[in-house]
Amino acid sequence: DGGITQSPKYLFRKEGQNVTLSCEQNLNHDAMYWYRQDPGQGLRLIYYSQIVNDFQKGDIAEGYSVSREKKESFPLTVTSAQKNPTAFYLCASSITVGGGQYFGPGTRLTVT
Amino acid sequence: KNEVEQSPQNLTAQEGEFITINCSYSVGISALHWLQQHPGGGIVSLFMLSSGKKKHGRLIATINIQEKHSSLHITASHPRDSAVYICAVNYGGSQGNLIFGKGTKLSVKP
């Protein structure tokens, strides 16, 4: 079955550590996205990628980094520079930018 | 600032009731999405529409471009419909990313 996988579902880290969240898709989609969700707020775009080896900052990119070396994979690194990293992180993909998006199950990151 | 407003924020209904969730946005868009988020956090895309009306099972989505307003209706609601329903819009342009509403939390009681 085609879809998007994110791992792990729950992740715990100590403050000051970088952590990388995984996102893989087998839908053959060109575009991929990372969103952050906080209680009482709408999802906010962190980074997106239109195609392999390309990515663009979203609305809240500070403290995050991404790579897109393969079409299937779009990992997100939460760096120690991110002031409030505890959140629910969602990855999505679409055939092209602007198309309907398919979402992964999400990773809940807790930093203490 | 481009905004997406949803109402109500919270909604409790009895099983079988007809439910309406509203979404309004501030500028012209290329498409509007309705998404469903279950308590575990995963999100499912329900509809993507740019005009008129779409129906899937007991779910109906409508959009009025002139009024910049969309509604999601659920007929014969069931407890398994309990979830957060999120409206999101594409404002177009090269980015193509979505702007999300804060969601409507629906609870359907048996």
Side-chain angles (χ1 to χ4, degrees):
Chain A
D1 286 336
I4 300 178
T5 56
Q6 290 184 244
S7 60
K9 190 172 177 64
Y10 298 95
L11 189 54
F12 298 88
R13 281 294 183 271
K14 294 289 187 186
E15 193 174 325
Q17 293 179 333
N18 290 356
V19 57
T20 297
L21 281 60
S22 164
C23 177
E24 304 279 330
Q25 55 101 356
N26 60 2
L27 299 165
N28 201 32
H29 286 174
D30 280 325
M32 296 187 75
Y33 313 79
W34 273 106
Y35 296 97
R36 170 182 171 136
Q37 187 177 40
D38 294 283
Q41 295 195 40
L43 277 73
R44 293 180 290 169
L45 180 69
I46 304 172
Y47 268 98
Y48 71 102
S49 168
Q50 297 189 62
I51 201 165
V52 175
N53 293 322
D54 169 82
F55 49 84
Q56 305 292 332
K57 291 182 179 179
D59 300 320
I60 54 165
E62 185 175 350
Y64 299 98
S65 65
V66 293
S67 62
R68 187 86 186 278
E69 296 176 2
K70 297 187 300 181
K71 189 175 188 177
E72 302 80 16
S73 180
F74 191 40
L76 173 75
T77 297
V78 184
T79 75
S80 56
Q82 168 49 235
K83 291 185 174 59
N84 297 296
T86 294
F88 186 60
Y89 291 88
L90 281 154
C91 178
S93 71
S94 60
I95 295 175
T96 58
V97 166
Q101 294 186 18
Y102 291 77
F103 287 83
T107 293
R108 192 167 299 279
L109 173 65
T110 302
V111 176
T112 58
Chain B
K1 181 181 175 183
N2 297 329
E3 289 187 348
V4 177
E5 298 289 337
Q6 286 187 237
S7 63
Q9 195 171 1
N10 293 283
L11 181 56
T12 300
Q14 286 298 127
E15 184 173 354
E17 285 185 2
F18 180 84
I19 288 163
T20 296
I21 299 170
N22 297 298
C23 176
S24 61
Y25 50 91
S26 54
V27 296
I29 64 171
S30 58
L32 182 142
H33 304 255
W34 281 103
L35 311 168
Q36 180 190 55
Q37 185 172 30
H38 280 283
I43 290 180
V44 174
S45 180
L46 299 174
F47 296 103
M48 175 177 167
L49 65 166
S50 54
S51 65
K53 175 179 171 178
K54 287 191 176 180
K55 184 176 188 291
H56 182 68
R58 295 180 295 104
L59 301 178
I60 303 166
T62 64
I63 188 168
N64 184 317
I65 299 295
Q66 286 74 29
E67 295 186 4
K68 298 185 174 59
H69 180 269
S70 174
S71 292
L72 176 69
H73 305 286
I74 304 175
T75 62
S77 60
H78 189 276
R80 65 174 174 266
D81 297 325
S82 298
V84 175
Y85 292 84
I86 300 169
C87 173
V89 300
N90 283 105
Y91 282 104
S94 61
Q95 283 194 350
N97 54 289
L98 299 176
I99 308 297
F100 294 82
K102 294 181 180 180
T104 294
K105 186 174 182 180
L106 171 65
S107 178
V108 181
K109 306 292 186 189

